[in-house]
Every structure is written in C-alpha cells, then in structure tokens.
Amino acid sequence: MSGKVFFSVSMSLDGFIAPESVPVDDFLAPDKQDDPDVQRWMAQWTELQQWAFPLRFFRENLKLGEGGEEGRDNDVARETFERTGANVMGKRMFDFGEQTWPEEAPFHTPVFVVTHTKRDPWERPGGTTFHFVNDGIEHALDQARAGPGDRHVRLAGRGAKILEHQKAGR
C-alpha cells in the first residue's frame, strides 16, 4: 500500500485553478486559434502555469531544452516528482496532454485516467503507462495506491472536476 494521496495543482491567490472548459480539439486546431474562447483559455492557462516553464526540472522533464532556473521552486517540482509513485487524472487533462506531451510522457509512473471512454492501456517510453478506469475515482485511487510502495499517489489537474464529471456521467 502506498503513502499519501496528495493533490497537485497550480492555483492563483484568488483560488483560480483552470479556465472553463473549451473542447480539447480546439486548443491546437489551426483553424481555431483565432477563436476568442480558445485565446482566452490559453491566456488564462499560460498565466497560471508561467511559474513552471522556466524551471530546469520542468524544462528537462518535458523535453523543452536544457538550462532553466534553479532554486526552491525547482526543488519543489523535482521533489514532488520524486515522491510520486502513481498519478490519477481526469480525461480532460489526459486529452490535452496526449496532444502536447513529448513521446516520453513526463510521469514515468503508472497513470490512472478517470474516464467513461473504454480504451486499452497505453504504454509510453520512459515508464509511463496510462490505464483508463471506467468505474469511478474510487477504483482509480485503489489501483494507484496498490503499486507505488512507500511513494505517494498524485491527484493531478482539476481533480475536483473528476468527481463532478463522474456524477454527471461525462
């Protein structure tokens, strides 16, 4: 049985975690880049995440290039990664990441995606395997906690939305 389950998100001081939903296909579609909803979402998301992009650990893990800022923020990002033995995320985070993560996805652990979409596990180079859990967050957490030994389970993305979407049948 694993250590703790923890929630890992970026949050503004006023409690902002992520913009309202825009269809995932719209984020990267060339013909949607002028859409005001897509532009607003990207601007809000970028502002919220801007602290992470310069960090050395973040840049290396996402294959964004060498170099980057060192210091306490970088240490926290690396320490969070190192203590994580499994990840749980919702379908929205997975869908966006599937289009934008490098071939070697940045988790290097099992990742349990809470979804209503049936799909076989998807193994990526570097130790990340995405498992698609169709029977609720409780089962995803049970599966995630079964494997990482004394390392922790990270609930990533808009974790609170997982419960909301599950209740609504999305």
Side-chain angles (χ1 to χ4, degrees):
M1 189 59 82
S2 73
K4 299 175 184 174
V5 174
F6 71 98
F7 187 47
S8 177
V9 297
S10 294
M11 180 185 294
S12 67
L13 292 175
D14 62 354
F16 175 75
I17 294 176
E20 291 302 315
S21 296
V22 170
V24 171
D25 292 338
D26 290 355
F27 294 126
L28 300 174
D31 62 326
K32 296 287 189 171
Q33 297 309 298
D34 292 331
D35 182 314
D37 289 336
V38 171
Q39 289 180 342
R40 184 186 74 252
W41 192 97
M42 290 302 291
Q44 290 174 338
W45 185 85
T46 300
E47 183 177 346
L48 185 61
Q49 303 299 331
Q50 70 185 349
W51 70 274
F53 285 105
L55 300 179
R56 179 183 197 94
F57 176 80
F58 189 84
R59 295 181 54 72
E60 290 172 354
N61 198 34
L62 281 172
K63 311 294 186 234
L64 298 174
E66 295 191 17
E69 295 177 5
E70 303 265 349
R72 188 63 191 135
D73 287 345
N74 188 66
D75 293 346
V76 168
R78 184 178 19 76
E79 290 163 6
T80 299
F81 176 84
E82 290 171 352
R83 71 183 172 124
T84 301
N87 287 273
V88 175
M89 69 179 60
K91 177 121 170 42
R92 182 172 182 230
M93 180 176 175
F94 171 79
D95 285 346
F96 183 67
E98 184 179 25
Q99 295 182 38
T100 60
W101 291 320
E103 181 179 3
E104 185 178 314
F107 303 100
H108 310 286
T109 69
V111 178
F112 298 89
V113 180
V114 180
T115 179
H116 292 284
T117 303
K118 295 197 185 260
R119 184 170 168 177
D120 290 333
W122 186 41
E123 191 171 335
R124 306 301 301 147
T128 300
T129 300
F130 293 95
H131 302 274
F132 301 90
V133 181
N134 305 106
D135 51 358
I137 182 115
E138 294 86 4
H139 290 106
L141 286 169
D142 287 346
Q143 291 177 52
R145 294 188 84 193
D150 62 348
R151 292 171 69 195
H152 303 313
V153 174
R154 175 178 172 245
L155 182 58
R158 291 175 71 188
K161 286 291 187 184
I162 293 173
L163 294 174
E164 181 181 312
H165 287 275
Q166 180 178 332
K167 289 177 185 174
R170 292 182 252 172

